[in-house]
């Protein structure tokens, strides 16, 4: 099987598991259930393309139902992906997807981000988790000094960047979203507390 068809099949299998479990666990908002492929997976897949040259370890903060962390794990079997999710039912869901899909490169850490020992990761991602000033503290805890953060942000991202700069110094590349003209992936490096 080619890499492309393996990936397509795996993403379809993941979407089916989300639809099966969503009524019980509320992994994505029920109003966006029809948009699993066109929004949740597409946004996460776009991040995979942006981060094409990423290597080594990847930590996804507040993974919920697995966006973007499980999509990264599916599309990049060469990366070692850790999913931090403190809600035990969501963490169980993530573990069962990993088991059912035999994802050898993914593990779940079912704890609060701030209670997990520093992971020293090469890459850290987050989507729909917290405002940027709060996220910077989470990211700084788990990203290594040369690492890159990939933060998926909605329409208020410019204001959040201005607010975060009051407490943090960092380099930023903003990648506008293809699916939502107000959204962007913020690629952040060189984080230090000012
Ligand atoms: C709004 S959901 C977003 C989930 C996913 N990233 C997405 O885009 O669909 C935020 C998730 O982060 C988790 N979370 C929030 N604060 C956390 C913390 N301090 N440590 C670990 N997980 C946290 C919540 O349990 C929830 O599942």
């Amino acid at each position: 099987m080619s890499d492309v068809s393996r990936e397509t099949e795996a993403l379809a299998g993941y979407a089916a598991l989300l639809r099966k479990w969503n009524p019980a666990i509320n992994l994505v908002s029920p109003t966006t259930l029809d948009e699993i492929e066109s929004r949740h997976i597409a946004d996460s897949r776009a991040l995979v393309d942006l981060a094409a040259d990423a290597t080594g370890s990847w930590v996804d903060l507040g993974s919920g139902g697995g966006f973007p962390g499980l999509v990264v794990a599916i599309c990049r079997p060469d990366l070692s992906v850790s999913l931090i999710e403190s809600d035990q039912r969501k963490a169980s869901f993530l573990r069962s997807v990993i088991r059912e899909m035999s994802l050898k490169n993914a593990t779940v850490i079912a704890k609060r981000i701030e209670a997990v020992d520093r992971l020293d990761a090469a890459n850290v991602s987050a989507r729909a988790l917290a405002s940027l000033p709060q996220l910077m503290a989470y990211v700084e805890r788990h990203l290594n000094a040369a690492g890159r953060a990939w933060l998926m942000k909605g329409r208020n991202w410019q204001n959040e960047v201005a607010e975060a700069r009051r407490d943090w110094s960092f380099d930023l590349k903003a990648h506008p979203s293809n699916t939502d003209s107000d959204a962007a992936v913020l690629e952040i490096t060189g984080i230090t507390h000012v």
Side-chain angles (χ1 to χ4, degrees):
M1 194 191 287
S2 75
D3 281 355
V4 174
S5 50
R6 181 200 64 81
E7 180 183 306
T8 308
E9 198 172 289
L11 290 173
Y14 168 41
L17 288 169
L18 270 168
R19 289 201 166 91
K20 178 174 165 193
W21 288 104
N22 208 60
I25 316 186
N26 211 22
L27 298 156
V28 299
S29 158
T31 57
T32 66
L33 211 49
D34 289 345
E35 299 171 303
I36 286 181
E37 288 83 1
S38 62
R39 180 162 150 193
H40 300 291
I41 290 181
D43 283 355
S44 303
R45 190 66 192 73
L47 171 60
V48 169
D49 286 340
L50 280 177
D53 64 350
T55 55
S57 54
W58 185 296
V59 172
D60 186 42
L61 305 173
S63 298
F67 299 113
L70 267 184
V71 175
V72 172
I74 288 168
C75 298
R76 291 290 308 273
D78 57 313
L79 297 176
S80 169
V81 179
S82 302
L83 310 170
I84 304 184
E85 173 52 58
S86 59
D87 180 306
Q88 299 301 314
R89 294 200 311 161
K90 291 181 184 175
S92 296
F93 168 78
L94 295 169
R95 286 199 176 108
S96 65
V97 175
I98 288 169
R99 197 172 47 244
E100 286 199 34
M101 302 187 63
S102 304
L103 295 174
K104 307 261 180 290
N105 61 328
T107 51
V108 178
I109 303 173
K111 292 185 184 169
R112 293 192 65 78
I113 296 154
E114 53 276 48
V116 177
D117 288 344
R118 290 176 180 270
L119 293 170
D120 205 29
N123 300 275
V124 171
S125 59
R127 175 178 185 256
L129 173 62
S131 71
L132 197 60
Q134 171 66 68
L135 268 185
M136 295 305 285
Y138 289 158
V139 168
E140 194 270 341
R141 180 174 182 82
H142 294 299
L143 189 66
N144 73 33
R148 275 187 293 178
W150 306 93
L151 307 178
M152 301 167 76
K153 280 280 154 199
R155 68 173 51 86
N156 198 31
W157 68 264
Q158 278 107 334
N159 292 336
E160 290 189 36
V161 167
E163 208 185 315
R165 286 209 190 278
R166 291 185 206 145
D167 290 326
W168 300 92
S169 161
F170 53 88
D171 296 314
L172 167 70
K173 252 191 242 173
H175 303 276
S177 159
N178 292 327
T179 53
D180 176 349
S181 56
D182 293 328
V185 174
L186 307 184
E187 179 184 344
I188 291 180
T189 49
I191 300 170
T192 51
H193 203 272
V194 292

